[in-house]
Each structure stands twice: as C-alpha cells, then as structure tokens.
C-alpha cells in the first residue's frame, strides 16, 4: 500500500506521531511518499481514470491536508482522503492544523519566529464595515525549523489529533 501526502513535513510529523501514539504498525503497512504539494496529488488523481485504477496492484491513498477543500472519494484502488480539520487550532492551514492551541501557545513562547500573527482589525469598504478576526499561521520560511522542533520536543498531547490521519489510513488498508 502507498500513501502519498502533500509534503515532506507531513511525512515527518506522521512518523513522529506514530511513535508517540503507538501507530508504528500502521506506517509499517504503507509506504509514505512526498507528493510535493496538493497540486501534484491532484495530477496523480486525474491520471488514474477508471480503466487504469482497475489494474493498480495495491491501494494508493492520496492524503490531503484539511485546508485543500477536497471531497473524500475513490476510483477502485485509488483513494482520495482529507485529514479532518481541528476546529480548535489557531492554525487553519496545513497539517499543522492538527496541533492543539496549547501546542501553538508553547511554540509562540519558545520559538516565536515560527508563528506569524495577524491581529484583529476592521475595515470599511464603500461604507460597509467589517471585522477581520485575528489569525495565526506558520511562517513559510520556518516550516522546516518548526517541524524539527516539534519532532524533537513534541509530546503525545501535541500529536494526539494525528490519530485522525491514522484512522483514515487504517480504514482503507483494513477495508
């Protein structure tokens, strides 16, 4: 079985989470591959028409981050799955959405360069006022450093929400 994820950080986070959550047996049953972005996962999905997907010898799981706005579906042995969003996380984009607020708070205290913060603001356009809520995101140039830091310092509590990804993989490989 092969699972193709959006990027290298996804693989590293899943490997660390599998160790902490006792899910190494799940990852032993799949090959994790770096899809180098969700656009390439889309290309892989499009290349598998029904005729080709019928002759695929093993299951292939295309595992998307929560923010990609895709639907779970499949073509024979090729499965498209989206990791469920963690609504409580201040990070709304990427696999980092799986980290809870406490983890993001800890990162902001210890490595503030990893997290970008946009304060709440308001705007008025053509006389219509609107409020823009505060938001947080992982600094794009610090993603690798944050991944390194979490893989070295992360606890089972930090990675608990990754169980959702293992549930998706297990459902397919056991199905």
């Amino acid at each position: 079985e092969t699972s193709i994820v959006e990027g290298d950080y996804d693989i590293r986070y899943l490997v660390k989470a599998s160790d902490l959550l006792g899910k190494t047996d799940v990852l032993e049953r799949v090959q994790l591959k770096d899809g180098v972005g969700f656009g390439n996962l889309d290309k892989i999905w499009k290349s598998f028409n029904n005729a080709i997907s019928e002759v695929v010898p093993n299951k292939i799981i295309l595992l998307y981050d929560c923010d990609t706005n895709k639907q779970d579906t499949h073509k024979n042995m090729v499965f498209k799955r989206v990791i469920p969003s963690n609504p409580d996380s201040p990070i709304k984009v990427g696999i980092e959405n799986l980290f809870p607020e406490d983890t993001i708070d800890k990162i902001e205290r210890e490595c503030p360069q990893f997290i970008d913060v946009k304060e709440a603001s308001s705007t008025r356009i053509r006389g219509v006022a609107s409020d823009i809520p505060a938001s947080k995101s992982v600094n794009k140039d610090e993603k690798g450093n944050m991944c390194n830091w979490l893989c070295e310092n992360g606890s089972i509590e930090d990675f608990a929400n990754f169980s959702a990804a293992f549930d998706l993989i297990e459902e397919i490989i056991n199905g």
Side-chain angles (χ1 to χ4, degrees):
E1 320 289 349
T2 301
S3 286
I4 303 173
V5 295
E6 286 191 30
D8 177 57
Y9 304 135
D10 296 40
I11 292 172
R12 292 170 58 201
Y13 283 136
L14 286 166
V15 168
K16 176 68 175 182
S18 74
D19 288 343
L20 291 170
L21 301 173
K23 293 289 186 178
T24 52
D25 59 316
V26 176
L27 291 192
E28 285 168 2
R29 296 178 62 195
V30 297
Q31 263 189 313
L32 288 177
K33 299 281 187 189
D34 181 352
V36 195
F38 74 88
N40 286 332
L41 269 64
D42 288 344
K43 289 176 189 165
I44 294 166
W45 174 255
K46 287 180 183 143
S47 71
F48 282 107
N49 62 39
N50 281 329
I52 293 172
S53 64
E54 280 178 25
V55 296
V56 172
N58 295 316
K59 293 175 183 172
I60 295 175
I61 306 165
L62 304 174
L63 198 59
Y64 287 81
D65 293 345
C66 67
D67 58 299
T68 48
N69 203 19
K70 304 288 178 192
Q71 298 296 313
D72 288 354
T73 185
H74 71 279
K75 297 175 186 172
N76 298 309
M77 298 283 274
V78 184
F79 297 81
K80 184 192 289 190
R81 292 293 183 270
V82 180
I83 299 171
S85 179
N86 170 18
D88 300 327
S89 177
I91 305 291
K92 301 302 179 199
V93 175
I95 198 164
E96 295 88 356
N97 166 263
L98 291 176
F99 293 110
E101 187 169 11
D102 288 348
T103 302
I104 301 305
D105 290 345
K106 178 171 60 178
I107 291 168
E108 283 188 284
R109 282 191 307 276
E110 299 192 27
C111 305
Q113 69 275 21
F114 296 169
I115 305 293
D116 292 343
V117 178
K118 284 188 180 171
E119 298 298 339
S121 62
S122 59
T123 180
R124 193 171 68 229
I125 299 172
R126 291 190 162 172
V128 178
S130 62
D131 292 324
I132 302 165
S135 64
K136 294 181 181 180
S137 59
V138 179
N139 182 283
K140 64 179 177 56
D141 297 326
E142 294 287 352
K143 274 183 162 291
N145 292 330
M146 182 168 140
C147 182
N148 291 341
W149 190 86
L150 277 163
C151 288
E152 285 173 25
N153 301 294
S155 68
I156 193 168
E157 292 80 16
D158 296 324
F159 283 88
N161 294 326
F162 280 75
S163 61
F166 295 111
D167 292 347
L168 287 175
I169 295 169
E170 282 183 290
E171 183 184 315
I172 292 168
I173 60 178
N174 295 334

